[in-house]
Amino acid sequence: EDQVTQSPEALRLQEGESSSLNCSYTVSGLRGLFWYRQDPGKGPEFLFTLYSAGEEKEKERLKATLTKKESFLHITAPKPEDSATYLCAVQGAGGYQKVTFGTGTKLQVIP
Amino acid sequence: DAGVIQSPRHEVTEMGQEVTLRCKPISGHNSLFWYRQTMMRGLELLIYFNNNVPIDDSGMPEDRFSAKMPNASFSTLKIQPSEPRDSAVYFCASSLGGSNYEQYFGPGTRLTVT
């Protein structure tokens, strides 16, 4: 069974203070690792897909990286509007289109 | 595109009543997913469809839950009878399918069963 563990559960940063969120996973045959952002009262919003170890994707202040066992979401010089819950998910070779989500990291960026 | 559309956005009902949640996926998407999100358990996959056919319903918690997808543009999730422990936010998501696994979520339905 595919598993995803995210850490920390919550993270509080000062505006401009860079940091990283971790996503550890176990999966049988990785087809894709996904990062989502979820704002309160809204559905998760797709950010990135990573397919193989060594791959990196960037969007504004966010950069996602992937190894064979974990993924990191690096946040550079965050702003208060980056405050949200960030979800990691994996899709393995076993389940057709089935994606397993982690429980998320709640990020708060203080002005 | 309007994105994934869900209705109602909020539902409050009494224990024992039937609840029906509705979803319209993004046009052209072939896969549809129903999730439940709670503070304790996070985001859980309940069931997903490909080309309107249920592929995996192993996440449906009990026989009280059922889902249908009569056509490519509409799906329902029904709970009958509802119980207080069913209170959660229910999300519908869709994806293109095939080798494209990115899922796009609707705004969710917040269900409260008293």
Side-chain angles (χ1 to χ4, degrees):
Chain A
E1 186 175 329
D2 301 340
Q3 290 189 330
V4 177
T5 303
Q6 292 188 246
S7 62
E9 288 186 8
L11 182 62
R12 197 175 185 195
L13 299 174
Q14 291 289 330
E15 184 172 359
E17 179 186 2
S18 302
S19 187
S20 297
L21 314 183
N22 178 264
C23 171
S24 298
Y25 65 91
T26 55
V27 65
S28 176
L30 181 69
R31 285 185 175 174
L33 183 141
F34 312 92
W35 282 99
Y36 286 82
R37 168 190 171 128
Q38 185 173 23
D39 293 298
K42 295 187 176 181
E45 175 189 348
F46 171 77
L47 292 174
F48 304 110
T49 305
L50 301 169
Y51 294 101
S52 58
E55 189 176 0
E56 299 183 353
K57 293 271 181 79
E58 285 190 67
K59 181 179 180 179
E60 297 181 355
R61 295 175 292 281
L62 301 177
K63 183 169 80 171
T65 62
L66 181 65
T67 72
K68 289 186 177 180
K69 293 184 178 181
E70 56 191 352
S71 176
F72 293 93
L73 184 65
H74 307 277
I75 304 176
T76 302
K79 297 182 178 181
E81 53 262 41
D82 295 322
S83 298
T85 296
Y86 291 85
L87 298 168
C88 173
V90 296
Q91 179 168 14
Y96 179 79
Q97 292 280 333
K98 183 175 181 177
V99 172
T100 301
F101 279 84
T103 53
T105 293
K106 185 174 183 179
L107 174 66
Q108 182 183 14
V109 182
I110 304 164
Chain B
D1 199 309
V4 176
I5 298 172
Q6 290 186 248
S7 65
R9 292 294 313 277
H10 302 274
E11 177 80 38
V12 180
T13 191
E14 292 184 348
M15 183 174 63
Q17 296 298 307
E18 177 179 297
V19 175
T20 299
L21 312 181
R22 297 172 175 79
C23 175
K24 176 179 169 56
I26 293 172
S27 177
H29 282 195
N30 295 320
S31 297
L32 183 139
F33 308 80
W34 282 101
Y35 290 88
R36 177 172 67 177
Q37 188 174 44
T38 61
M39 288 293 292
M40 292 297 294
R41 301 174 67 91
L43 203 58
E44 302 174 278
L45 177 65
L46 301 177
I47 184 171
Y48 68 98
F49 296 83
N50 187 58
N51 292 325
N52 313 337
V53 176
I55 302 299
D56 185 347
D57 64 355
S58 60
M60 298 284 261
E62 300 172 35
D63 290 345
R64 299 183 296 106
F65 286 70
S66 63
K68 294 182 179 179
M69 191 165 186
N71 57 63
S73 59
F74 184 67
S75 177
T76 60
L77 178 68
K78 185 178 293 186
I79 308 172
Q80 167 63 17
S82 58
E83 297 183 3
R85 59 195 168 117
D86 301 330
S87 297
V89 181
Y90 291 81
F91 289 105
C92 176
S94 68
S95 71
L96 278 170
S99 60
N100 189 315
Y101 312 123
E102 298 162 8
Q103 296 182 19
Y104 294 85
F105 284 75
T109 295
R110 179 173 294 277
L111 174 65
T112 302
V113 183
T114 61

